[in-house]
Amino acid sequence: MDTMENSKLNNELEQVAFLESIVSELTQIGIELSAEKDVDKLLEKILINCMDITGCDAGSLYFKELCDDGESCLRFRYTQNRSKQFPFKSFTLPINKNSIAGACAYNGSLYNLKTMNESYEKIGIRHDGSFDKSMGYKTANMLVIPMKNYGGEVIGVLQLINKKRNPKEIFDIPETIPQKTVPFLDKEAEIIESIAAQAAILIERSQLFDEIEDLLESFTVSLVTALDQRDPITAGHSKRVTSYALSLAHKVNEVAYGPYADIRFSEEEYKEMYYAGLLHDVGKIGVREFVLMKRNKMEDADIRALLFKYKWIKNHLMLKGKSEALTEDEQTILENIDDYYLFVEDVNKRGFMPDELLEKLQVIGALSLFVGEDADGELEEVKLLTEHELESLSIRKGTLTQEERAMIESHARFSFEILSGIKWTRELKNVPIISAAHHEKMNGKGYPQGLTADQMPLQARMLAIADIFDALTAKDRPYKPAIPIPKSLDIIKEEAERYHLDPDLVDIFITEKAYDIDAEGESA
């Protein structure tokens, strides 16, 4: 085999090796770009990869957007220079033939400018070198490629600048740059155009993904706001609980002690916690409004009716006393009826019922008088407190009867049913489970399912702590004053000691001050 044949064979082998390396590199680039969902990071990767393939010194990316006047323009989004540090400042360009990038987007055409003098011949404008001069740089050649989506629409422009003879060389003297550069090859332009097209489709995919996420978040926040309107007593509760839970999750990620030292939440898991927190009380949609809005043990209308009844009893006994002697019980009722009403009115607003008040209430509840005969000739008895009134006023803690409390507790089950009907993404598939389990207890005595510690998701345990802490410290509950933070933390500790809450998470919540969301901020 002669020398010429050897040379030809070597060239062919070099071309095959080059093409194989390019194919391999393009495959890897495609994988990396496909995996990236963040548009800004995607733009950075596109530019750097294209610079690596062509061995150029600099590059810029312009992105199409709507400007303030409602017209489409190009936004200078990202730049890279391997020889000089340029101060980045975003700006916009009109999509027209008055700039190289604008003309590329306007015409949808690729321009391989082997020297910058070709810009007038190919585009009809002269390259403005004033920016280069101010920065101590020189643009010798340029590859300008439109980034087109699947429908052929230009969504951006990629500029590659100064292809180097030696890819590792740093350009430090502007005047020598033209001698140290070579034109971009037409084959390289084809490859970069292919990457730009793929990148454009991926960028649109990422934008669509972001838009869907924005839609989901705005819909969720609007739904929570609507729930707040239905239950203004706990307005803001879901957002605060979410902030406390996320703050605790961040602290768990940071700590290097305890059984959760190795736990690290991903961004997807934070997002899952965010939606689970916001929607944990969505099941209240299924709870009757009078129960949600119940501020006191008895409804206002029932208390007013009780007042009228007591006034009628007082008038009845006063009239009766003018014509005949009252019995001892009747005389006692007449003398004390005003105090009885004041006592009942006070008890009605109490969040906690001590033994001595309960005993006095039962004494009043046992009092009654006969006020004549009914239509059947039977003696008609009027009790100072009916069975329902006595049951309501005798509530030891809070304002709900057992039946009403069961109705409120059903909201956790409703939350699961409502949220399970949504087709969540894989990253958010646990939102219904986490949301529904925020009232479960580590010892299995919670609701709605009575889950035990090993059955409770970690995020649900965090949500449980956040939910109780906010209920204790909330300043907007008309039926109780806000409990100071130190006292609330003591109560949280007691709940952990009873194994209602996760003791290790409570320790982190208190020790690392995860409750201080003013300092932490409401991250989502």
Side-chain angles (χ1 to χ4, degrees), residues 129-140:
S130 59
F131 179 76
D132 282 353
K133 190 173 182 180
S134 67
M135 292 293 112
Y137 195 70
K138 186 173 183 63
T139 301

Side-chain angles (χ1 to χ4, degrees), residues 5-15:
E5 289 178 342
N6 274 333
S7 177
K8 184 178 178 181
L9 179 59
N10 286 335
N11 287 336
E12 289 176 352
L13 290 173
E14 286 177 5
Q15 287 182 359

Side-chain angles (χ1 to χ4, degrees), residues 198-260:
Q198 179 189 10
I201 294 169
L202 293 175
I203 288 169
E204 284 209 325
R205 181 211 64 181
S206 296
Q207 286 181 313
L208 179 60
F209 183 83
D210 290 342
E211 288 171 5
I212 292 171
E213 282 207 327
D214 289 343
L215 175 64
L216 174 60
E217 181 172 7
S218 62
F219 177 81
T220 302
V221 171
S222 295
L223 177 58
V224 171
T225 301
L227 282 172
D228 285 348
Q229 295 299 316
R230 185 169 185 263
D231 184 14
I233 290 176
T234 58
H237 168 72
S238 294
K239 292 178 182 177
R240 292 193 302 271
V241 166
T242 303
S243 294
Y244 289 131
L246 285 171
S247 176
L248 178 55
H250 282 291
K251 294 301 183 184
V252 168
N253 261 23
E254 295 169 4
V255 298
Y257 60 83
Y260 298 122

